[in-house]
């Protein structure tokens, strides 16, 4: 009998723990892969799970215990009682930030690793897997998010999070390498490939040499990363098409004095739907109501107030996401959002959107150039380009690669699960005799 914990008895999995979504993929003995499906309370199933953790206190007999929900269930639990629960999101963003060590959750002090471990435990449970029964390869970004990110700290804390969740000896590799392994299955001869992996919080670029039949199948030649991806593009739409309708450009007066700008922090919170719920405190609601009384645009600020009171942040976020998706397929769209007296029907052209994200595109282009510079290769030396992640659908992003390498060399596929598929293949390869 094989001893417990021996790798030969384990299920081979790849795990893409993302800023916005997480994916688990299983590799079988023949090298086939299939994503685990997560089952949520309303019986919805999905190959991706939103990287959200909601915590609350509940009564268990005579004692109060901390309960949790993840993904879609976390959203529902939080919106059900935002005042008495804690919603944790973008956990991955803080891994490389030395300033974030722990936080108080109700009466307990929890480290970031403990929060991520709690999410991972529930993630595996929803996938029908036990962390101790799998052998896992896990992805990490080339550059962790944050201006002062410590990449070595990020890797160490990522590993500790998985260990705390019950995984044994997790193998950690670069996320673009995972995407590259997925793409390598299409190759029948050696090739130099640039992989662009676009997540919610970061975008990573790696240049790798693949030899599908060689003894060393993958050689990483250069890589770079930048803390810009889908979430930033959402915020650009909100800033230009939504915030003005909620009074961002209004002024107000104190004691009949000179006009003052409305507090900017109220509108910074529009970038993430859950932050609107965090503004649902008596003090903040009173402040908005008081400012509205002397505002140049009182009705717009009252719409902001009602948006917060009625917890409409998630619906606003969906409307913005839909508009961004539409602009990947068509030249213009109408951003529609209606709540009580607030009615936003803003026509957005693709040209508008591309002008809003121009500074972000420039930083993405610089990161691609950085990866190329490290290798000493020119555009003609890149045989293929493989793009993955939702932001790779944005035409202006795709055009960055078409311009440099030619559209005929740029490819994509399985944009939301390809990283985890490749990680699962790496895990299987690790244990082949």
């Amino acid at each position: 009998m094989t001893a417990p914990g021996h790798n030969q008895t384990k299920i081979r999995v790849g795990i893409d723990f993302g800023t916005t979504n997480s994916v688990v993929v299983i590799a079988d003995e023949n090298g086939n892969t299939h994503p685990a499906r997560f089952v949520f309370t309303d019986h919805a199933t999905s190959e991706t799970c939103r990287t959200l953790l909601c915590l609350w206190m509940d009564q268990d007999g005579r004692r109060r215990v901390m309960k949790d929900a993840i993904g879609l269930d976390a959203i529902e639990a939080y919106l059900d009682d935002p005042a008495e629960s804690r919603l944790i999101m973008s956990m991955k963003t803080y891994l490389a930030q030395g300033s974030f060590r722990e936080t108080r959750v109700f009466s307990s002090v929890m480290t970031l690793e403990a929060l991520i471990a709690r999410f991972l435990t529930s993630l595996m449970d929803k996938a029908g897997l036990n962390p101790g029964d799998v052998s896992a390869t896990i992805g990490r970004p080339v550059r962790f998010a944050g201006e002062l990110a410590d990449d070595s700290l990020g890797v160490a804390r990522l590993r500790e999070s998985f260990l705390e969740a019950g995984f044994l000896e997790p193998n950690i590799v670069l996320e673009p390498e995972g995407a590259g392994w997925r793409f390598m299955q299409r190759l029948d001869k050696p090739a130099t490939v640039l992989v662009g992996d676009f997540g919610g919080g970061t975008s990573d670029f790696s240049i790798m040499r693949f030899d599908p039949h060689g003894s060393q199948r993958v050689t990483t030649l250069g890589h770079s990363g930048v803390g810009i991806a889908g979430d930033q593009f959402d915020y650009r739409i909100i800033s230009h098409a939504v915030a003005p309708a909620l009074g961002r450009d209004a002024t107000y007066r104190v004691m009949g004095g000179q006009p003052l700008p409305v507090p900017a922090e109220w509108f910074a919170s529009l970038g993430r739907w859950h932050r609107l719920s965090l503004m649902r405190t008596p003090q903040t609601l009173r402040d908005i109501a008081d400012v509205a009384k002397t505002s140049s645009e009182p009705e717009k600020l009252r719409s902001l107030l009602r948006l917060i009171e009625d917890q409409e942040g998630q619906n606003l976020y969906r409307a913005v996401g839909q508009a961004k998706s539409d602009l990947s397929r068509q030249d213009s769209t109408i951003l529609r959002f209606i709540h009580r007296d607030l009615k936003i029907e803003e026509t957005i052209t693709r040209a508008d959107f591309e002008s809003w994200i121009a500074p972000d595109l420039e930083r993405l282009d610089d990161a691609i150039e950085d990866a190329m510079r490290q290798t000493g290769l020119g555009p003609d030396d890149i045989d293929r380009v493989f793009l993955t992640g939702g932001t790779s659908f944005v035409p202006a992003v795709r055009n960055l690669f078409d311009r440099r390498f030619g559209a005929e060399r740029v490819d994509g596929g399985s944009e939301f699960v390809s990283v985890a598929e490749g990680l699962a293949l790496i895990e299987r390869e690790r244990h082949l005799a």
Side-chain angles (χ1 to χ4, degrees):
M1 180 179 292
T2 306
H6 193 281
N7 277 337
Q8 294 303 318
T9 67
K10 292 186 176 296
I11 303 167
R12 316 287 183 216
V13 302
I15 301 176
D16 181 10
F17 170 64
T19 302
T20 305
N21 293 295
S22 293
V23 180
V24 178
V25 169
I26 301 167
D28 65 22
E29 296 177 354
N30 300 316
N32 300 313
T33 61
H34 65 274
R37 296 198 67 85
F38 306 106
V39 182
F40 298 98
T41 302
D42 63 357
H43 303 298
T45 63
S46 176
E47 293 179 351
T48 62
C49 177
R50 291 284 295 275
T51 310
L52 298 170
L53 173 68
C54 183
L55 300 168
W56 69 94
M57 298 302 293
D58 206 352
Q59 203 70 29
D60 184 7
R62 294 185 176 181
R63 62 194 184 101
R64 284 170 60 79
V65 298
M66 192 182 296
K67 297 289 186 68
D68 66 63
I70 67 168
L72 297 176
D73 292 345
I75 295 172
E76 294 304 318
Y78 180 70
L79 294 180
D80 185 55
D81 193 358
E84 297 299 326
S85 59
R86 284 284 303 274
L87 184 70
I88 313 294
M89 68 182 300
S90 300
M91 291 175 277
K92 184 178 180 180
T93 302
Y94 300 101
L95 277 168
Q97 304 300 314
S99 58
F100 189 118
R101 292 290 180 181
E102 59 188 28
T103 186
R104 181 168 290 277
V105 181
F106 308 115
S107 60
S108 301
V109 174
M110 299 184 70
T111 64
L112 177 62
E113 293 90 329
L115 291 169
I116 294 175
R118 190 146 186 156
F119 170 82
L120 293 170
T121 300
S122 293
L123 181 78
M124 296 298 283
D125 182 62
K126 283 195 176 297
L129 297 168
N130 186 322
D133 294 336
V134 305
S135 181
T137 288
I138 298 144
R140 55 148 290 194
V142 173
R143 298 281 183 269
F144 281 84
E147 293 298 323
L148 300 175
D150 181 339
D151 290 332
S152 61
L153 175 65
V155 173
R157 293 171 83 176
L158 181 64
R159 183 183 304 280
E160 182 57 37
S161 299
F162 274 82
L163 290 172
E164 193 164 333
F167 291 84
L168 304 175
E169 301 178 4
N171 177 43
I172 298 178
V173 303
L174 293 173
E175 289 162 355
E177 186 175 329
W181 268 78
R182 164 67 168 72
F183 183 68
M184 186 172 65
Q185 310 311 305
R186 306 182 188 180
L187 300 177
D188 56 8
K189 62 182 180 180
T192 301
V193 180
L194 186 152
V195 177
D197 175 24
F198 299 91
T202 61
S203 297
D204 293 329
F205 308 103
S206 288
I207 299 172
M208 291 173 276
R209 182 67 179 172
F210 292 101
D211 185 348
H213 308 298
S215 56
Q216 183 169 349
R217 303 177 71 184
V218 181
T219 303
T220 300
L221 305 177
H223 48 69
S224 66
V226 62
I228 288 177
D231 291 349
Q232 176 72 1
F233 288 4
D234 290 343
Y235 181 69
R236 297 295 188 188
I237 293 174
I238 288 170
S239 179
H240 287 85
V242 176
L246 296 173
R248 182 197 59 196
D249 302 324
T251 59
Y252 74 107
R253 297 175 185 270
V254 178
M255 303 293 289
Q258 291 296 313
L260 299 171
V262 170
E265 61 266 23
W266 295 345
F267 301 93
S269 295
L270 289 173
R272 295 285 180 87
W273 67 267
H274 75 289
R275 290 182 184 170
L276 281 177
S277 293
L278 298 179
M279 291 172 67
R280 195 168 171 257
T281 65
Q283 182 62 54
T284 301
L285 296 177
R286 279 196 301 270
D287 289 347
I288 296 173
D290 287 344
V291 167
K293 291 175 184 176
T294 62
S295 171
S296 59
E297 297 181 303
E299 276 309 309
K300 290 184 178 181
L301 284 170
R302 292 189 186 110
S303 291
L304 173 65
L305 186 66
R306 290 188 286 265
L307 192 76
I308 297 167
E309 287 178 326
D310 297 344
Q311 303 176 57
E312 284 293 304
Q314 173 70 357
N315 290 329
L316 175 62
Y317 184 88
R318 286 176 181 147
V320 169
Q322 183 60 55
K324 184 177 71 172
S325 178
D326 290 345
L327 290 171
S328 292
R329 300 186 302 270
Q330 55 203 50
D331 291 334
S332 68
T333 189
I334 298 176
L335 170 63
R336 288 188 173 90
F337 179 76
I338 299 173
H339 177 62
R340 295 211 215 176
D341 295 334
L342 173 65
K343 185 176 183 180
I344 297 174
E345 288 194 343
E346 187 78 14
T347 299
I348 304 172
T349 68
R350 184 181 289 176
D352 291 333
F353 178 55
E354 290 179 356
S355 71
W356 300 342
I357 64 173
D360 309 315
L361 293 172
E362 186 173 342
R363 289 184 63 191
L364 290 173
D365 203 37
D366 288 345
I368 299 166
E369 177 63 28
D370 184 32
M372 292 291 293
R373 191 182 303 115
Q374 290 178 33
T375 67
L377 300 176
D380 292 342
D381 298 315
I382 302 298
D383 298 309
R384 303 287 293 276
V385 175
F386 179 64
L387 306 180
T388 188
T391 302
S392 66
F393 287 113
V394 175
V397 172
R398 177 88 175 215
N399 190 48
L400 295 176
F401 298 90
D402 290 351
R403 263 201 335 264
R404 280 179 180 266
F405 307 105
E408 70 282 357
R409 281 185 274 171
V410 181
D411 205 350
S414 301
E415 278 78 6
F416 297 103
V417 299
S418 62
V419 171
E421 286 178 338
L423 296 172
L425 292 171
I426 291 172
E427 181 59 34
R428 175 180 177 271
E429 184 82 6
R430 275 209 310 151
H431 297 288
L432 287 178

